[in-house]
Amino acid sequence: MVATSSQDSQASGTRNDAPRAASPGLLAQISRFVLIGGFCALVDFGLYWLLLQAGLWVHLAKALSFVAGTTTAYFLNRRFTFTAAQKGGAGQLGGFMLLYTVTFFVNVGTNALALHLLPDLRWQVAIAWVVAQGTATTINFIMLKWVVFREPRA
């Protein structure tokens, strides 16, 4: 016997009252991800700079700013970029937490490595931040698109 979508919904414990909106195409998702990422990068870098100005240890400042920026990114991307995968639930939240735990260490580690390798320049902190952010952003899009917010197959 082949299960219908309402039977699938009942079996999985979810309700399917409203039709799920289709996600935008890949190009639109990348565009939205970049725009949202730009805003979240401002949140991240703005907080990073403020914390550094307040005299906080550079690595703690980077860690806190990363958490603020990526939390903002999660909610905005879930709402506007990966719209067809808004199932929520423990699996999605767990996937997000695992992904951002990994990219947290990648981001902070990349920032520390760049600060160590770059010569003492006026823009050293900004360049290290851009390198760390670019690395984490690339990982995040790939994993959010094809793992965390994976669309159900038709």
Side-chain angles (χ1 to χ4, degrees):
M1 178 172 143
V2 176
T4 65
S5 62
S6 63
Q7 288 171 330
D8 288 341
S9 295
Q10 289 171 353
S12 66
T14 61
R15 293 188 54 168
N16 193 13
D17 295 335
R20 190 178 302 224
S23 275
L26 181 61
L27 187 57
Q29 284 180 323
I30 291 171
S31 299
R32 290 176 186 190
F33 189 80
V34 167
L35 288 172
I36 289 169
F39 172 74
C40 295
L42 291 174
V43 169
D44 184 338
F45 189 71
L47 182 58
Y48 182 51
W49 185 83
L50 287 172
L51 293 172
L52 289 175
Q53 297 307 306
L56 201 62
W57 180 48
V58 65
H59 303 304
L60 181 57
K62 182 64 187 127
L64 293 173
S65 71
F66 176 81
V67 170
T70 54
T71 300
T72 304
Y74 171 76
F75 289 109
L76 291 177
N77 279 307
R78 182 170 184 255
R79 171 72 173 97
F80 297 108
T81 305
F82 305 108
T83 57
Q86 291 185 8
K87 66 178 168 109
Q92 193 175 72
L93 181 59
F96 165 77
M97 290 173 53
L98 179 61
L99 171 62
Y100 279 89
T101 298
V102 170
T103 55
F104 168 82
F105 287 108
V106 168
N107 190 298
V108 174
T110 301
N111 191 71
L113 180 62
L115 286 172
H116 176 74
L117 294 176
L118 288 169
D120 191 21
L121 303 167
R122 177 179 176 162
W123 293 93
Q124 179 189 33
V125 170
I127 293 168
W129 181 88
V130 167
V131 170
Q133 190 66 28
T135 302
T137 298
T138 301
I139 293 168
N140 284 340
F141 180 81
I142 291 167
M143 296 304 290
L144 286 173
K145 169 79 177 145
W146 285 287
V147 178
V148 175
F149 294 125
R150 178 182 60 242
E151 293 182 32
R153 294 200 174 141

